[in-house]
Amino acid sequence: MTGPRLGVVADDVTGACDLADAVRDAGGSAVVVLGVPGPGLDLPPCDAAVVALRTRTAPAAQAVAESVAAASWLRDCGASAVYQKYCSTFDSTDEGTIGPVADALLDLLGPGAVAVGTPATPRAGRTQYQGHLFVGDRLLSESPLRQHPLTPMTDPDLVRVLGRQTPRGVGLLPWEALRGPDAGAALARVVGSGVAHVLADALTDEDLDALARVVGAGGAGGVAAGTEPAGTDPAGAGSAGAGSAGAGSSEPRVDGRPVLLGGAAGFAAALARSWASGAAEPAGAPAPRASRGRALIVSGSCSARTREQVDRFPGPRVPLDADALAADPDGTLTAVLDALRAAYADGPGPVLVSSSADPDAVRGTQERLGVRRAAAALERAAGEVAARAVRDLGVGRLLVAGGETSGAVATALGLGVLRVGPAAAPGVPWMVPVDGPAVAVLLKSGNFGGPDLFTTAWEACP
């Protein structure tokens, strides 16, 4: 294999780690590259190369530029297919980045390209039906995501949400069509109606497997609808449009058109399952090295699950306050680090540094400081605390909660390429840098992990 089967452009760091973990669980191999890769970066052999950006809440122009640069690099590395990774809860705003980035990546793939994907990730309780996204048994708009401090999700109709972000047509591949006798032809009809974006319903992993067969990203190249080689079954397992191809084949196509794959970890895992055999293990890759040193938790997520994890944590904790940072950033950071140093005098930790707060407190901070100023202050401080703790306080095990916080910490640490280690929970793997600081990092989405994750995660730490 000359390049990865799947080249993934992820809009945040925790989502990139979640997807890499899902691919690994499905039998493939994955590495995560932090930020737009620089010239000369050596990509280890892998099935999925995941470029982790920090573009979910960035201005659209910045998100587009970085995403196109990352996708171009992945294609130069020989990626057979490009995958746009967005959140399983479609975190975005009407001025958000999912639509503009998808449009730019379609332009990169060439004339007539179409985007096909779904945020559905059943193992995380995210499903899509009739174009509406569910979190567990609740509509997205009735879930805690409606109170997200940066991307409040108040509309569960994803066709409508995406339609507000792009001038190009958005269509739906409904569940009945996906699981019907002619799913490939159904997809071709949706594409043929003139839309450029297709969102697919999915309730189970079996539905995602069916979608993977339809787009034919087994190698990751697909077979255009109606062009299957003589003697093959065009329907596959319930698909009449496109079948999986072997490794090294061309990019996926639907009805002869290039396909931009998209979604969360669930669809990527289905694609990895479709590879079945021949998955690439990074050649000569050392096992993730065991970590020594003190343990630190940096929590910036304000999600309901992370707040529960903070509440359940029994160890020492140090608050990180946005108002104090705005008034005296250097003095506040010094006080936080002094408190950390004192806490480690009693043992190796873990110690929790947290800015997580309930929705009313978050709103109050945003009203006083402004949304972007408050977020920037906390993210910058979280990164600085983590970097100094690793450099000066002997921290070698680091758990970070929250996508924006994880991005800030990864940047401050100068992380480059990460290998996937053991998972502390589904979608929450420990990661080990290929080079750089000798620290094991767990970068988790705010909504992931059980209530006691801050206590139990260390058992899986490499």
Side-chain angles (χ1 to χ4, degrees):
M1 186 173 69
T2 59
R5 302 170 188 257
L6 206 60
V8 182
V9 180
D11 66 358
D12 84 334
V13 174
T14 58
C17 295
D18 176 24
L19 184 144
D21 179 58
V23 167
R24 196 268 308 270
D25 279 354
S29 61
V31 297
V32 174
V33 179
L34 280 301
V36 177
L41 178 67
D42 185 19
L43 179 67
C46 57
D47 293 306
V50 188
V51 176
L53 304 176
R54 297 176 60 191
T55 54
R56 181 169 297 170
T57 58
Q62 175 188 340
V64 165
E66 293 185 12
S67 299
V68 169
S72 298
W73 179 82
L74 289 164
R75 282 160 64 87
D76 288 344
C77 290
S80 299
V82 176
Y83 190 102
Q84 180 190 7
K85 164 66 174 73
Y86 42 77
C87 187
S88 62
T89 49
F90 218 69
D91 289 8
S92 191
T93 66
D94 288 351
E95 299 75 32
T97 61
I98 295 176
V101 167
D103 287 343
L105 295 180
L106 289 175
D107 291 340
L108 180 68
L109 293 183
V114 60
V116 179
T118 179
T121 303
R123 78 171 183 174
R126 280 43 162 175
T127 56
Q128 180 184 311
Y129 185 67
Q130 294 298 318
H132 287 64
L133 187 59
F134 289 80
V135 177
D137 61 354
R138 310 296 295 178
L139 282 167
L140 175 64
S141 55
E142 298 175 5
S143 77
L145 274 300
R146 72 185 183 277
Q147 295 178 324
H148 193 288
L150 298 178
T151 54
M153 299 304 296
T154 58
D155 187 350
D157 186 335
L158 298 190
V159 174
R160 192 163 54 206
V161 171
L162 186 55
R164 291 194 290 265
Q165 296 186 18
T166 172
R168 308 184 191 189
V170 181
L172 173 69
L173 181 64
W175 182 84
E176 291 81 1
L178 176 64
R179 298 315 304 268
D182 210 356
L187 177 58
R189 284 194 296 272
V190 177
V191 170
S193 69
V195 302
H197 303 273
V198 181
L199 292 167
D201 285 344
L203 303 176
T204 65
D205 283 340
E206 289 74 17
D207 297 337
L208 295 173
D209 291 337
L211 183 61
R213 290 192 295 269
V214 169
V215 297
V223 184
T227 64
E228 296 81 3
T232 62
D233 173 13
S239 168
S244 295
S249 57
S250 60
E251 65 186 11
R253 290 180 176 267
V254 170
D255 209 25
R257 301 170 62 172
V259 175
L260 169 66
L261 304 170
F267 186 29
L271 295 170
R273 287 191 293 270
S274 78
W275 302 333
S277 62
E281 194 60 34
R289 58 180 176 265
S291 175
R292 298 292 184 266
R294 292 165 169 167
L296 173 65
I297 305 166
V298 178
S299 179
S301 171
C302 297
S303 71
R305 176 46 56 92
T306 293
R307 297 199 314 272
E308 184 179 11
Q309 291 162 344
V310 168
D311 289 343
R312 296 280 284 267
F313 178 67
R317 60 184 69 194
V318 179
L320 195 59
D321 182 73
D323 289 303
L325 286 166
D328 182 9
D330 292 338
T332 301
L333 279 174
T334 298
V336 168
L337 290 165
D338 286 346
L340 267 179
R341 190 174 287 106
Y344 286 130
D346 296 327
V351 179
L352 169 64
V353 174
S354 176
S355 62
S356 301
D358 63 42
D360 288 340
V362 170
R363 278 192 293 272
T365 300
Q366 291 175 336
E367 288 171 0
R368 290 189 298 275
L369 301 180
V371 174
R372 292 200 176 274
R373 184 185 177 200
L378 289 170
E379 290 164 23
R380 184 167 52 249
E384 187 67 18
V385 166
R388 291 195 196 179
V390 170
R391 185 187 67 206
D392 301 332
L393 300 181
V395 167
R397 297 168 292 158
L398 178 60
L399 188 162
V400 187
E404 301 301 324
T405 307
S406 291
V409 168
T411 299
L413 288 173
L415 301 180
V417 180
L418 304 177
R419 295 197 189 280
V420 186
V428 186
W430 284 97
M431 310 289 288
V432 176
V434 171
D435 49 24
V439 58
V441 294
L442 188 156
L443 308 171
K444 96 168 189 78
S445 168
N447 292 297
F448 280 23
D452 295 314
L453 181 73
F454 288 1
T455 301
T456 62
W458 314 100
E459 299 167 7
C461 184

